[in-house]
Amino acid sequence: MLVSTSASDVKFILQNLPKRKAPPDLDQAARAALKNLLAGHLSYLLLSPPYTSSILDAPSRAALRSLPVFPILRPGRRNGQDVVLDTAPEGSLFLASSVPVVPNIRRTQLIDYDQAVPLCRALEVEVLDEIAVLKIALARNVWRNLQPELVPALIDRLIWRLPDFDEPMRRLFSELEFVDVGSQGTFKRPNAVIDPASSLAGLFDPEDEVLPTGKFAIDGQGSYIQRLRNNNMLQTVLTDAMVEERIAKIVTLSEKGEPERGRQKALRLLNLLDKHSKERSSSTQWPHLIEILHRRAWIPLGDQLYRLSDLWDSRAKDTLLCDWALLVLPIEIKSPSFRRYIGWDAVSFDVLRWQLIEVTGACSDCQVSATDEISNRVQAVLRTLASYLIDGVCTGEELRQLGDELGDAEW
């Protein structure tokens, strides 16, 4: 039997514990009694001169860790004093009371620091706040092994603490698939979800599974979707990949006998590209997108799909130059750069040529019912052809050929 002769009983006990032996098999009541005894002695030492936290040497700290006196937290929402007493092997984590949800981490003891302050201070351990614990939980090897019932509570805390994350944490969080986007339990990363309040939302339908549903569809002060939106976690920018995917969807709608739905989405897409054109400040950002837009016929009108080169918008000053040669969409593209990149910045000579042939009745398909319509269009086209000749857009020879095509038409 050991008899303490030291003024510090706790140091004597820890220095004389048998090495490399399992701790005594004590029930929780006995462990609590031992914990209180050790805590009382350690508190006295911590408050005694020279007032330092280094009151134990390394072997004594190892011996203290081996005693089943540390309050181990159960995974889940923090529930007051709901702990069991056990050992604190190396690698254990010590959590502050500010951590409301405790994750499960394989082969790691999570200890309630506040219920064992003297013991923890004697070990000279770091106490982890909620942000530190959430960062550990976000690690791939931890997150994929979480108990499923813990995930909703941790997601709630992650969303709540988003403003406090540093960039690496934000990046890890944005890669988690937790936003509900479908009735079949489909979840996606927040940065793959369309903000339902953004202009992009009208491009998508519920079956596309990119719009939030369930509790993530509830908007308002303090809602999940508002917190994600305020922290720039949702998709609000029209990307090239998104444009390509939407064009494919528009074509599919038309092929399935829903051309009107496809037409509405096509017009909305063109309007959005017009509005978002300022975000593409560099000409190097346009080529791939323009290639996507011109790659195929994708704009439904009636029972057919048309290419952009077959169409024009309803900008007033261009209408008289092309409305009988091209199909005119009921939209107006206002961005000069977007007009230029899709080829709508100026009516081409070929379109002017065909417009003039149409309005003068040289084409057998031409059906003119009002003289004013002919007059207005002929004057507009002739003025434009004159300016094209002056600017070198067309040649005198091309105009002579156009005259030959018109023949004896009375115009």
Side-chain angles (χ1 to χ4, degrees):
M1 182 175 66
L2 299 176
V3 178
S4 172
T5 59
S6 170
S8 174
D9 290 346
V10 69
K11 285 187 176 182
F12 180 82
I13 293 171
L14 294 174
Q15 290 168 357
N16 288 277
L17 279 174
K19 303 298 188 291
R20 292 183 296 278
K21 286 190 177 182
D25 186 16
L26 304 175
D27 60 23
Q28 288 295 306
R31 294 182 183 193
L34 179 57
K35 169 182 171 288
N36 292 336
L37 172 67
L38 293 171
H41 282 296
L42 291 171
S43 295
Y44 175 79
L45 290 175
L46 289 165
L47 294 173
S48 300
Y51 306 110
T52 175
S53 59
S54 298
I55 58 175
L56 299 178
D57 56 21
S60 296
R61 289 196 295 271
L64 179 58
R65 282 180 176 274
S66 71
L67 294 176
V69 294
F70 293 89
I72 309 302
L73 292 163
R74 292 187 175 93
R77 290 194 178 275
R78 203 73 163 266
N79 185 19
Q81 305 297 311
D82 187 19
V83 297
V84 294
L85 298 176
D86 208 337
T87 60
E90 290 290 343
S92 298
L93 301 178
F94 298 81
L95 277 54
S97 59
S98 62
V99 180
V101 179
V102 180
N104 63 291
I105 303 176
R106 296 175 65 182
R107 296 185 293 275
T108 303
Q109 297 278 49
L110 301 180
I111 297 168
D112 189 328
Y113 179 90
D114 293 273
Q115 289 193 50
V117 173
L119 306 180
C120 298
R121 287 186 60 193
L123 291 180
E124 302 177 37
V125 296
E126 178 186 7
V127 57
L128 303 180
D129 61 12
E130 185 179 23
I131 295 297
V133 174
L134 290 175
K135 188 172 186 177
I136 293 170
L138 283 173
R140 288 186 182 275
N141 62 326
V142 176
W143 189 265
R144 63 170 172 253
N145 290 304
L146 285 174
Q147 297 172 6
E149 61 271 19
L150 290 181
V151 173
L154 283 169
I155 289 296
D156 179 81
R157 294 309 306 164
L158 285 164
I159 294 175
W160 184 264
R161 297 304 302 269
L162 254 175
D164 304 315
F165 291 179
D166 58 18
E167 191 54 38
M169 278 192 74
R170 291 175 65 87
R171 188 165 54 251
L172 287 171
F173 175 75
S174 69
E175 294 171 356
L176 297 179
E177 295 183 340
F178 65 86
V179 181
D180 193 351
V181 294
S183 59
Q184 303 302 317
T186 304
F187 300 92
K188 287 193 174 180
R189 306 186 311 273
N191 56 14
V193 173
I194 302 298
D195 186 344
S198 75
S199 58
L200 301 186
L203 289 175
F204 298 90
D205 299 309
E207 65 263 25
D208 297 317
E209 296 189 334
V210 293
L211 296 171
T213 59
K215 60 187 175 184
F216 287 95
I218 301 172
D219 210 337
Q221 187 66 33
S223 64
Y224 282 172
I225 201 70
Q226 186 190 61
R227 293 176 190 170
L228 293 173
R229 178 186 300 129
N230 292 346
N231 286 277
N232 301 315
M233 283 287 164
L234 300 172
Q235 183 62 266
T236 59
V237 177
L238 196 59
T239 65
D240 290 359
M242 195 183 298
V243 171
E244 189 166 16
E245 188 274 333
R246 286 295 84 191
I247 287 176
K249 177 65 181 286
I250 290 166
V251 172
T252 299
L253 287 172
S254 184
E255 292 172 346
K256 288 183 176 180
E258 298 183 81
E260 182 56 27
R261 276 184 68 198
R263 188 180 80 92
Q264 293 300 325
K265 290 190 182 299
L267 295 178
R268 187 173 286 117
L269 178 58
L270 287 172
N271 273 320
L272 284 175
L273 287 166
D274 184 28
K275 292 176 181 177
H276 287 221
S277 62
K278 292 181 179 180
E279 298 167 6
R280 296 173 178 266
S281 56
S282 170
S283 60
T284 60
Q285 295 178 297
W286 282 102
H288 183 240
L289 173 62
I290 299 310
E291 190 274 328
I292 291 171
L293 293 175
H294 286 287
R295 185 184 298 162
R296 64 196 296 187
W298 61 275
I299 301 178
L301 290 175
D303 296 328
Q304 295 186 52
L305 292 170
Y306 292 88
R307 295 177 177 273
L308 282 174
S309 56
D310 300 323
L311 308 168
W312 205 263
D313 70 338
S314 56
R315 187 167 68 163
K317 72 174 186 176
D318 293 334
T319 302
L320 297 178
L321 304 179
C322 65
D323 61 343
W324 287 6
L326 298 173
L327 292 169
V328 176
L329 297 175
I331 59 171
E332 182 177 349
I333 302 301
K334 298 181 179 180
S335 165
S337 58
F338 186 48
R339 296 190 70 90
R340 182 170 65 256
Y341 283 117
I342 63 175
W344 288 4
D345 54 326
V347 179
S348 70
F349 174 79
D350 285 339
V351 172
L352 289 173
R353 166 187 161 276
W354 188 249
Q355 179 83 350
L356 190 56
I357 291 174
E358 283 285 321
V359 299
T360 57
C363 175
S364 60
D365 294 332
C366 180
Q367 295 180 0
V368 179
S369 60
T371 304
D372 286 346
E373 288 190 59
I374 296 177
S375 177
N376 291 337
R377 284 170 174 76
V378 167
Q379 291 182 56
V381 172
L382 289 179
R383 281 195 297 268
T384 304
L385 286 173
S387 67
Y388 279 15
L389 180 63
I390 294 171
D391 295 337
V393 176
C394 67
T395 65
E397 179 59 30
E398 287 175 316
L399 290 179
R400 279 190 290 272
Q401 290 177 1
L402 174 57
D404 292 340
E405 288 181 276
L406 292 172
D408 296 329
E410 296 180 0
W411 57 280

